Amino acid sequence: MDAIPLYMFKDESTIDSVEIQTKSAYKYIRYVSPMKKNVTLTNIEIHGYEASSNDQNEEKIYQPTNIPLIVINTEGKMNFKKKSEKADCNVFIIENGKIALKQTGDLRIRGNSSKDLEKKSFQLHLTEKENILGMPAKAKKWGLLANHMDKSLIRNLVAFKISSLLGQKYSPACKSVDLILDGSFEGNYIICDKIEKGKNRVELDDLDETMNEYPEITGGYLMEVDGFADQETYHFNSKKGVKVTIKYPDATKNQTAY
């Protein structure tokens, strides 16, 4: 579960040698073929050395590109067919050749129509709150968006940035990352805020089940226009038939009617 990448073969070729700049010691090294592909590794030899006192080489953890790398290990327990099923995981974030985050948590599929695409999006739930990659919110829940239908891989990044520049009260914070899941390189993702009530996310007045009369009943609410709202616990249809999910609070009958 605590495996981190040492090197990734990007091409089908014979490689004489690869230098891995790590000062850590490893008892086990394994080769993992990409998901849904059969790859044959014919031969591998590992040679290590003890650095001398004059060795000034700074240790660097492997990154396949120049953007941050998220490494998630579930021991192969990730269920890619059931959206609601969670898999316990270890999480590493590697930035500038250093481990910027080491945590535990759980992972599940996110999205409705997108859950059936080949490249899945995920919801990551950390055990402890973190400001991931310097983003404003210190939180446990984060989205990993696959951008499967976006060949540019930047539409969401651009849209959220424009929203922020135009002065919207809240725009999701997000960063472009690479993802390795259970040893398989899954490509480019966006890690972003989960849209939820919270500090440096959607900042709303508190509302609980006792607030059923005016003026307390007036807010705040977090709602989503959602074609799949009838699959959610708290939802309603507008007078014109638009399906709306109430994301916050766990609404009472009076609050839903309001």
Side-chain angles (χ1 to χ4, degrees):
M1 286 286 277
D2 60 353
I4 59 172
L6 294 178
Y7 186 77
M8 185 172 70
F9 297 96
K10 299 180 182 179
D11 301 301
E12 185 178 340
S13 61
T14 300
I15 298 175
D16 291 333
S17 65
V18 173
E19 182 179 354
I20 298 169
Q21 295 178 298
T22 177
K23 295 179 182 178
S24 301
Y26 298 93
K27 188 174 183 180
Y28 299 103
I29 296 174
R30 66 175 180 172
Y31 170 75
V32 181
S33 62
M35 293 181 184
K36 310 183 187 87
K37 293 182 180 179
N38 294 318
V39 178
T40 300
L41 183 68
T42 56
N43 187 53
I44 187 169
E45 294 180 0
I46 306 296
H47 300 270
Y49 68 93
E50 186 173 349
S52 69
S53 58
N54 296 324
D55 190 351
Q56 300 297 317
N57 290 335
E58 186 178 0
E59 180 178 24
K60 292 184 179 180
I61 307 297
Y62 178 74
Q63 286 178 243
T65 71
N66 63 347
I67 64 174
L69 171 66
I70 296 183
V71 181
I72 300 177
N73 296 312
T74 74
E75 292 187 326
K77 296 177 182 177
M78 186 68 217
N79 190 326
F80 291 94
K81 295 182 179 179
K82 290 187 178 180
K83 175 181 172 181
S84 59
E85 191 167 317
K86 300 176 182 178
D88 292 338
C89 63
N90 275 12
V91 184
F92 295 87
I93 296 181
I94 300 168
E95 184 180 22
N96 299 322
K98 299 288 186 181
I99 295 178
L101 172 72
K102 182 179 180 181
Q103 260 248 35
T104 58
D106 60 65
L107 189 71
R108 68 171 179 85
I109 301 294
R110 75 171 301 280
N112 290 308
S113 56
S114 65
K115 74 180 186 301
D116 298 320
L117 298 176
E118 183 178 2
K119 186 180 178 184
K120 309 297 184 186
S121 293
F122 303 99
Q123 178 172 293
L124 175 63
H125 187 180
L126 299 174
T127 304
E128 302 291 337
K129 293 182 178 181
E130 291 284 353
N131 293 95
I132 288 184
L133 295 173
M135 288 187 279
K138 187 173 185 179
K140 294 182 179 181
K141 294 182 180 180
W142 298 85
L144 279 165
L145 306 184
N147 297 319
H148 183 76
M149 304 298 289
D150 174 14
K151 303 310 177 186
S152 74
L153 301 174
I154 63 170
R155 290 181 189 169
N156 282 320
L157 287 168
V158 171
F160 292 153
K161 184 63 176 179
I162 291 174
S163 172
S164 177
L165 292 172
L166 291 174
Q168 292 287 344
K169 192 169 183 178
Y170 169 73
S171 299
C174 54
K175 294 285 182 73
S176 187
V177 296
D178 291 320
L179 175 65
I180 292 179
L181 175 58
D182 287 335
S184 181
F185 181 66
E186 296 300 293
N188 179 267
Y189 274 72
I190 290 175
I191 187 164
C192 64
D193 282 338
K194 176 178 172 58
I195 300 177
E196 63 179 356
K197 179 184 181 296
K199 185 177 180 181
N200 292 323
R201 286 195 168 164
V202 185
E203 300 197 17
L204 298 171
D205 293 334
D206 291 336
L207 190 63
D208 62 36
E209 68 277 2
T210 66
M211 299 176 177
N212 291 296
E213 303 294 336
Y214 186 86
E216 291 85 359
I217 198 173
T218 60
Y221 294 88
L222 177 59
M223 294 177 286
E224 175 186 359
V225 175
D226 182 2
F228 297 86
D230 51 8
Q231 299 177 18
E232 303 293 336
T233 305
Y234 306 100
H235 66 275
F236 63 89
N237 289 353
S238 75
K239 291 180 179 179
K240 294 191 176 182
V242 177
K243 296 180 179 181
V244 179
T245 299
I246 303 173
K247 310 297 286 188
Y248 176 86
D250 295 343
T252 66
K253 288 183 179 180
N254 284 357
Q255 290 166 351
T256 302
Y258 172 80

